[in-house]
Each structure stands twice: as C-alpha cells, then as structure tokens.
Amino acid sequence: MRKVITGNVAVAYGAMLSDVQVVAAYPITPQTTIIEELATMQAEGLVDFDYIRVESEHSAMAACIGAEMGGARAFTATCGQGLFLMHEMLHYAAGARTPVVLANVNRAAAAPWSIWSDQTDSVSQRETGWIQLYCEGNQEVLDTTIMAFKIAERLRLPAMVVLDAFFLSHTSEPVDIPEKERVRDFLPPIDPGENWLDPDNPRTFGGITMNDAYMEFRWQIQRDMEKAKGIITEVHEDFAQAFGRTYRQVEEYRAQDTELVLVVSGTVASTARDAVDYLREKGKGVGMVKLKTLRPFPREEVIETLKGKKKVAVIDRNFSPGATGVWAQEVRSALYDLPEAQRPLIYGYVAGIGGRDISVKTIEEIYTKTLEDAEPDDVDMWVGVNYV
Amino acid sequence: MYSVNQRFDNQYIPEQELLTSGNLACAGCGASLSMRLALKALGKPTVLAVPACCWTIIPGAFPRSIMEVPFFNCAFETTAATISGIKAAFRRRGMGEICVVGWAGDGGTLDIGIQALSGAAERNEDVVYICYDNEAYMNTGIQRSSATPRGSWTTTTPVKNPKSEPKKDIDEIMIAHKIPYLATATAAYPHDMIAKLKKARTIKGTRFIHLFSSCPTGWRMPENLSIEVMRLAVLTNLFPLYEVEHAEVYRQTVVPEEIKPVEEYIRLQGRFRHLTEEDLRELQSMVDKRFASLKEKFEKSEALK
C-alpha cells in the first residue's frame, strides 16, 4: 500500500507494523504526532499494545526499560529537551541491555527556545551506548524503524531512529507501507531469553558491581557495538531481500570518480543529491557520501570510501561548543590513520543550526569554498551566520 | 502495653523465606527485616524493582545476591515508572498475576522519585509501591531528606542547624491521588504489617505501603533498640498504624492502650540528643495535632459503617 504520509506517521507505522507491545510516551513538539498517531492506531484496533501515558520523558524511558525487563518489545519517541531529560536513562537502557527503540525527531536545544531542527540532541547522546540510525526521507524512516527493532533485539542494545524536525516529521511524501504479515516474517517476536524478570528463574539485574566486574560489562557493550556494524549490514541486506529497498551505513552518490566529496547525514543528503546533480551538470567534479550510522561509527567503511580523496567537506547540522561539528570529528578521527598521501583534507562546515535552511545554493557555496581554498581556514567553518 | 485490632490478631507469619542468608545490612537494620517480612507476606510470584538505596547494597555485590525473587535495580527516580513498564509487559504476555513491587527508600520516594510516583498513582498503575522510610539518605551517609523529622541531626543538618521543617506528609499526598489502598506499617508490628501486605496483594490498582523502618546507624542508637524504637514510634502516635481504602475509609489497625510521651521515643536516639525541653514540647504538640486530625478521619470512617 502506498500512502502520502509525514515522517512522524511513518514512524508510527513502523512501530505498529513491528507489533510493539508497550509504548510509553510523553508529548513534545515536533514529536507529538507520532504518539497521537499510535493512540489512534491502538484505538482503531490496528495494533494491540499497552500505552503508558507517562508524566515525563524520563519516565517514558524508565517504563520502556521496565517493559523490556518484563520481556516485551517497547517503543517511545521524543525530541530535543525530551531526549536531554532522558539522557540518564539512555545510559541505563544500554547498561541494562534492554533493546528499546526510540524515535528521535531532531530538535534544537534551548535556551533560547527553538522547535526547529538540528542534531544537537541526538549527537549529545553519542556516548550512551545507543545505536543511532539517521534518516533521509520518510520511506527510510518507516523502514529504519522496523529494522531498528531487529538490530536492537539481536544485539540487546537500544536503537534510536533519527529524523529531522519538520523537514521529515511534518512533511508528507509517498511511502510504501509493507503488509504486516511480511513484516512479521522479517521481524520475529522478541525473545528475551534469560534476560527478563522471570519468577521461575529469579535473578538480580543491575546490582552493585565492584571494580573486578564493572569493566567487563562495559567491554561487552563495546564488543557488541563493534559487532553491530556487521549486524546492521546483515539486517540491511535481509530488508533489501524482503522489501526491495537498499540501505547502507555509508552510501556513495556519484562519489567514486571525484576528488572532492561532501559528507552529510539526515535530510541534508537529499538536498546534497540535487546539489551534486546540479553541479555535475555544470561540469563540476563533486560527489556525496551519506552517513546513516553515528553509533556504531562505520569507521572502516568511511576509511575505504574516502581514502585517496583530495578534499572532504563535512556538513554538520550540529556542533560541540569548544570543538567542531560531531560528524567532522568522527570523520577526522577515522581518516587520521591513513597514510598522508591517501588522507584527504577535511573541511568542517556547521550549517542549518536551529532549522535554518540548507539549500542547494548553501551546498554550492560549501562546494565552491572547499574547491577554491587550498586548505581550510579553520577546523570549523560556520555557514550563513550573520556575525553580530 | 498495647492492643491490636482483632482482625489482625490471628495472622500467622509465613514460614517461607525469599531471602537467603548473607545480606550486607548493618546490625539491627529495620530495612532488612522489613523486606524479609514483606516477601513472606507477598509470596511468589513477585518481582521487585529497587532504586538506589540501602537495598541496592543489602542483596550483595555481583555476582552474589540473596534474592529469591527477580530483582531489578532501577535508576533512583524511576521506581514507579519502571514498575509501570514491567507490569505492562507482564499484562501483554499474559502474566498479569505476577505481583510487581517497587521498593524504595524515603529519598527515592518523597524526594527524587515523587514525580514518577505521582504519575503512576494518577494512572492507577496496577502495582504495589513500598516506601521503607528511615527518615534520611542513609545509604549515602545520613543526609537530610524531606522525610527527616523536624529537629533531627543529619550530616547535612548539623547539630547547630538541625532540620527546621516538619516531615513531608507522603501519606496524605498519596491519598490525594485517590489510590485504592494505602497502609502504614512497621516491622515492630509484624502481624499487622503482614496482614496489610497480604491484603494489598489482592487489590487492583496502585497500592502504597509506608513502612517505618529503623536505622540504628543513622539514628545514632544501639542496634538492640531497633524494634523498641519502631514500636515506640507507634505507641507515641508519631507513626500511627492505619490503612485507607479508596482514599476515604480510614482505619487505625493498631490502637495503643496508653499513649506514651514522644520524649520516650526521642531520648533513645542520638540524632535528637541536642533537643531542648522546648523543642520537645513543640514536637509533642505537632504529633498530637497530626494524630487528632487522623483520629477525626478514623472516627468519621467508623461512623460511616
């Protein structure tokens, strides 16, 4: 079935088709229409789950962790301040090895208030032990939500589906909605194994560890995050087989035969595709690389894809005050290990903060600056700021 | 010395033990005895979620645990939200008969956990929430909480500047949520406590149990006084034992034959050593006032019958 739906409705379809068993959620703009849609779907009998209308995002994540400890598949959605409030529980979910799936609609951080898009909320959760999957369009949002459950449950690590506020959350696009039966074939019911509060097998979870044990628990998370790279690829391949749509952690677009590439994530990728086509028509040599996963960071694939390029322009719709855009940090860190002859110059651009538009023209400016400047002026270059 | 309502007189204490030996509690710990009795009363199948508190430590460090029921260590402020999620999962999986219990200290309940607790109670989540109240942050080393009584010494309210505010009335706060069942209890009256927990297990919706739980370490008293001090809290009307059904029917379950002066309770504990005669008079009058208002509710409920 093909429908014209917003990114938020696509998330709700993803959760509904995944037969989610417990939803715990709290309203926040621009996420709210996800949990409204789920309430409607539940009321209309399209899906049967327990809906805990909690009093905060912090409790939403706590209840999801509880639900997973009870052996059920749990889901929540939030954005911006809500994700910041959850921060403690994001660490907790990963530490407790509860495969919660969360949709985060990227929203800028207050103060001052802004409901518009940037990635500061999700990139701030980089160290929490969550898998982070960024989406470019509404089809990818729906598909990624379904895949997120499969990835998370295979690894027993939580997964975040990330979509831009308004550019996706409130923008309608035609989306192919898979049949529930086919999704059920792709995504079996959750199997918590021994990892739940089974009265017949009483165990204590998450108790105090001394310094002879804690590090091993953390190492297991790191080990499984490394494993996640392969599992995400496998799930992408299974999904392509089942539904005919292909996703990659690192996707190239007309980037193989160019010396200069743009590295982007989220909806900037779709604008960058147009910008690349436009510039190519004008005879300019430019390609694009879209990164889907921030955690685990697909280091090996990034190295393989970017080695030997002359210049790499990373566009970050986020930044880390006192350092640089986060994707630029990651790309720099990955490429540092290349021998100098194969190591591209990295041009880090911060753009589109707080939902400011990143247009084809913005990307053209970034391209031109990268092409013309023999080396970057600074580790971080802000695009389109009126310096006041 | 005291009389117990006939209803609870013939309750026996179940033999079943759901804790093994080897716990890490301090000598004379009211909280460890409270858990032992609570699990005897609740029986199986029961699962526990416990936030940061003494009971994080008492079961033992990984990989050891004295618990014979599933036990989830949750984040400090999340007990009520966590058990909401656990219960929802069990309902989904056709295991609704499992009793889901949150077990938190006074800090985790009256302070940092009150938002999640209020949310769960308002939703009337089908869970048992037990607060074991030892009137301060004991696990972190005896800091003031909103459950600390007026006049008490703690490490953050030193003798020269003891706590000046009265204890937060969590029971009336919970009753204001119109929950189906609330009870106060203490391990010094085990039959009463067990009867209330057994009753709580049979009720649907949010059940709140407020356990008065001694802490010889934090209350600065010898451990052999643990039971006596908990009992005196009841006999002085400082911590009356009662239950409230549907947020309107109040019933005192242990009625002391003779009310003792609060001073008898206070004088056994080092945390109150600095109190003057005037402080004591003030405390006595606060206790009397609060009990008088409760008594009105007991009588009103009695008259309704």
Side-chain angles (χ1 to χ4, degrees), chain B residues 67-112:
Chain B
M67 306 305 302
E68 302 222 332
V69 295
F71 186 106
F72 182 61
N73 286 272
C74 62
F76 205 174
E77 65 280 53
T78 67
T79 313
T82 304
I83 56 180
S84 303
I86 296 171
K87 188 69 191 193
F90 287 161
R91 251 194 318 265
R92 275 297 110 196
R93 300 181 70 202
M95 304 170 179
E97 78 289 356
I98 302 172
C99 183
V100 179
V101 179
W103 176 278
D106 47 287
T109 303
L110 283 73
D111 289 344
I112 198 168

Side-chain angles (χ1 to χ4, degrees), chain A residues 303-335:
Chain A
I303 292 173
E304 204 46 47
T305 309
L306 297 179
K307 75 172 180 203
K309 301 290 181 201
K310 284 256 158 45
K311 291 177 175 180
V312 169
V314 183
I315 305 177
D316 267 295
R317 182 171 245 150
N318 69 75
F319 74 107
S320 173
T324 68
V326 165
W327 295 98
Q329 290 177 27
E330 298 288 340
V331 172
R332 275 199 183 96
S333 154
L335 299 188

Side-chain angles (χ1 to χ4, degrees), chain B residues 214-227:
Chain B
S214 62
C215 174
T217 311
W219 292 1
R220 293 292 189 250
M221 63 184 198
E223 57 267 21
N224 64 332
L225 292 183
S226 208
I227 303 290

Side-chain angles (χ1 to χ4, degrees), chain A residues 21 48 50 52-56 58-59 62-63 66-67 70-72 88 92 196-199 202-208, chain B residues 61-62 65 68-75 77-78 81-82 84-86 88-93 95 98 115-116 123 125:
Chain A
Q21 292 169 294
D48 189 18
D50 254 59
I52 312 177
R53 293 152 179 101
V54 282
E55 83 301 328
S56 73
H58 196 279
S59 285
E88 180 200 13
Y92 220 96
W196 67 286
L197 299 162
D198 179 357
R203 298 201 301 161
T204 296
F205 293 90
I208 188 91
Chain B
F62 176 85
S65 173
E68 302 222 332
V69 295
F71 186 106
F72 182 61
N73 286 272
C74 62
E77 65 280 53
T78 67
T82 304
S84 303
I86 296 171
F90 287 161
R91 251 194 318 265
R92 275 297 110 196
R93 300 181 70 202
M95 304 170 179
I98 302 172
Q115 175 178 324
R123 299 189 302 271
E125 295 284 350

